[in-house]
Each structure stands twice: as structure tokens, then as C-alpha cells.
Amino acid sequence: MYAVRRPRPSDAPALFALAAADDLAEIGVVDYELADAVEELTRPGIDLDSDAWLATNGGRAVGYAAATTRSAGASVDAEVYVHPDAPDALYADLLARIGVRAAEHARAYDTASTVATVWAPAGGDKRTGRALRAAGWNGVRQFARMIADVGPGTVAPDPPDRVVVRAGADADETAVHVVLTEAFAEHFGSTAETLESWRERQQARAGYDRSLWLLAEYDGELAAALIGRRLEGLGWVQGLGVRRAFRGRGLGRLLLRMSFARFAGLGFPQVALGVDIENSTGALRLYESVGMRRQFLHDCYQLTVSAVPP
């Protein structure tokens, strides 16, 4: 048996333990840290009294779910974790709650329907994927976790002529936002976001560190940007984008290799990122060309939900 209540920020350690157990059962490693749980329960825009649920059994967290929107309100970002010892019925319960909340979000934004999105470890035999399909969610995309080994010998390349790279505080937030918004405008799942909302979300992320941001200018024009974060024992590239007019000049590879050197200089042995393997700009090939390899895959599932009737 289990009981469901609203989570509180103080539940972060319990959420971390739950997510870690879920990861170990599904992918064999823990791809989550306590800072992620803190972020999950305090991130901008989440209303814990309406958007999230925590299932417990004997005081132990055995399930968690959330359904939130970003500033534009066009779609719903969902999360679901279930302990490997919990019954399959808990998945159905939490996914049903996500569906109801998504319908409420659609009504609040005065849209006929909304699309809820959640990620799950890839593979037809994975428990999360089975539960999502049983609840009517559709697998629509696959993402790869890419990882590269770096070390003391990792050297940053010099920018070529006509290119200036700004780092840290010199990588102006407004400019980085402009570059990444344009670079990802045509990508799957992209949602336009105001500078204020985007900045707030970046600052709330686990491992936020402006010193790891890079911004490239080509002949004085904004061209490419990279956002780096510090995770536990791992450097993370949160975003890397090149504006359409400046693609094909090696700017993505330049910033990626420069970030490798920066992470290596901080003592990180590896750098990782996530990529849509169907990305139309050739991102997967770029990452493989600099020595990154696939660590594991996640499937993206979506569910179209009609708004709550007026």
C-alpha cells in the first residue's frame, strides 16, 4: 500500500533516494544527484500544491510525479519516478494525475489541448516505458546521453581568424539567450521563452556556473553559444547552438573543444550532454567527431490531453 501527498522542498533527500533506486533498476547507474532533487522541488514555476505528488510507504518515498509548464504555457513537462519495489498500479495512478493536471494547465492557458512530455530509459523491456505505453503515451523520439573522457592533456584550440570567443561574465546572458533561442527554434520540443523566465530557470539549475559559459562572435556578430554546468564528478554541456547563418564554420566544434579544456582544468574527468539522435543539424555527428560516445539512450514519450471543460 502507499499514500500520496504533496511534496515539500524538505523531501529532496527522499526524492533523491527514490530516483537513484529507479535509475539503478532501469539503466544500471545513478544519473541523478541530490542537487537535482533540490532543483526539482524548488524550480521556477512549479506549484507543489498543484503540480506534484509524492507517494510514500511506511515513511519511504516510493513514487513521484510532476506536471509543469514554462512561461509560454504551450506544453507540459512531466516527471515520473517509481521505486522498483512499488506496484505497477502506482505508475497508473501517478500518470493519471499527470493527465488531469495537464488538462488543467491547458484550460488555464485557454487552449483546446496540450501535449505532455516525459523521458524514460530506452528499451521495450523497461518498466517505465511499459507503464507509459499502457497509459496511452506514445514514444516519439530518442535521445542519447553522450560522454567524453578529458584530462590534464586536454588543450583548448585557438579561435580562427574573424572569431572572438567570450567566456564567463563576458558571455552576456542576453546574447547567449538570443543565440540559443534562434539555434533551437526548429528543434523538436523547442519552446520560446522570455529572457527573464529563461534566466531564472538557468540560475535555478543544479550546477549553475556562469564561468563555464562561452559565446562566439563571427566578424562581430553573435554566432554560437555554449552553457556548461558542474555536476557531481562530471562536466555537463546544458546547451550548444549555432545560429543558422553561421553554421558550417566549425564554431560548434570549437566551443565544445574549448569547454572540454575548461572542464579538464577544473579536474573533471568526463564531460557529458544529451542529444536528439534525429537532430537535423548533425549534432550527433559533431559530438562523435570530437570523441564523444553514447552512454545510454532515453525515449521521449508524449500524450495529447484535452483541456478541462469550462
Side-chain angles (χ1 to χ4, degrees), residues 38-297:
V38 172
E39 176 190 339
E40 174 67 32
L41 296 174
T42 59
R43 56 194 167 99
I46 191 169
D47 180 350
L48 294 180
D49 290 326
S50 301
D51 295 337
W53 305 266
L54 185 71
T56 62
N57 183 358
R60 183 185 64 158
V62 294
Y64 173 83
T68 60
T69 61
R70 299 186 190 178
S71 60
S75 60
V76 171
D77 296 323
E79 299 281 350
V80 61
Y81 300 105
V82 172
H83 196 281
D85 295 340
D88 289 346
L90 180 53
Y91 269 113
D93 183 348
L94 295 176
L95 291 173
R97 293 171 189 263
I98 288 173
V100 170
R101 184 57 180 150
E104 293 171 348
H105 279 307
R107 175 62 181 165
Y109 282 95
D110 196 26
T111 60
S113 65
T114 188
V115 175
T117 301
V118 69
W119 277 261
D125 61 335
K126 302 298 185 182
R127 189 181 183 208
T128 304
R130 293 199 308 269
L132 286 163
R133 292 190 294 274
W137 293 67
N138 297 309
V140 296
R141 211 81 167 192
Q142 195 166 71
F143 287 72
R145 165 74 170 269
M146 307 293 290
I147 195 163
D149 299 319
V150 298
T154 304
V155 178
D158 293 325
D161 292 342
R162 306 171 70 179
V163 176
V164 173
V165 177
R166 306 190 187 282
D170 291 330
D172 177 72
E173 283 182 315
T174 302
V176 171
H177 175 255
V178 167
V179 171
L180 294 183
T181 297
E182 179 179 323
F184 284 92
E186 299 173 1
H187 287 209
F188 169 80
S190 175
T191 301
E193 197 170 9
T194 66
L195 173 62
E196 292 73 19
S197 173
W198 178 85
R199 179 189 289 123
E200 185 180 22
R201 191 164 55 85
Q202 295 301 327
Q203 292 176 353
R205 288 190 185 278
Y208 170 79
D209 187 344
R210 277 287 306 284
S211 73
L212 295 171
W213 291 28
L214 298 170
L215 177 68
E217 297 176 355
Y218 190 93
D219 285 345
E221 292 191 62
L222 299 178
L226 179 148
I227 293 178
R229 293 164 54 202
R230 295 171 179 255
L231 300 186
E232 189 173 329
L234 184 73
W236 181 260
V237 176
Q238 180 63 45
L240 169 63
V242 181
R243 297 176 70 192
R244 176 179 291 276
F246 300 96
R247 291 173 187 165
R249 294 179 167 87
L251 297 178
R253 181 175 290 101
L254 170 69
L255 294 189
L256 196 57
R257 291 181 59 202
M258 292 181 77
S259 75
F260 284 3
R262 293 174 74 83
F263 281 123
L266 292 170
F268 288 101
Q270 294 180 312
V271 179
L273 52 79
V275 61
D276 176 359
I277 63 173
E278 296 179 39
N279 180 288
S280 61
T281 62
L284 182 61
R285 294 191 301 275
L286 165 63
Y287 302 144
E288 291 175 335
S289 75
V290 295
M292 303 193 83
R293 61 188 183 277
R294 300 185 193 191
Q295 188 177 22
F296 45 76
L297 299 172

